[in-house]
Amino acid sequence: MPLLATHLSFRELGGRLYVSRNTIKTQAISAYRKLGVSNRSAAVERAIELGLVDAGASQDPVARPIA
């Protein structure tokens, strides 16, 4: 969820996590379903409400790849 709160595209997220864009998209859609929302911005909003993501996370882009 914290990565979805960034400005990065699914392709960019996949590159940083060494997985395909489709893997990111599949996982994102699964998260949307579990949160009861239908898009990325609504998912981030709901995650903030639930305390799963810090409100400032969308302002903090991922600086380095996660190994």
Side-chain angles (χ1 to χ4, degrees):
M1 284 308 307
L3 294 177
L4 285 180
T6 68
H7 69 282
L8 300 172
S9 70
F10 287 168
R11 183 175 310 280
E12 291 169 322
L13 291 174
R16 289 176 185 245
L17 297 173
Y18 305 104
V19 297
S20 76
R21 173 199 165 278
N22 290 332
T23 298
I24 297 295
K25 184 176 177 181
T26 299
Q27 293 300 313
I29 290 170
S30 179
Y32 301 166
R33 184 177 35 81
K34 291 174 184 179
L35 292 170
V37 299
S38 60
N39 61 54
R40 185 172 178 168
S41 59
V44 171
E45 235 177 79
R46 184 72 178 125
I48 290 169
E49 289 171 7
L50 295 172
L52 300 173
V53 176
D54 291 332
S58 61
Q59 305 301 320
D60 184 23
V62 179
R64 65 186 193 313
I66 299 173

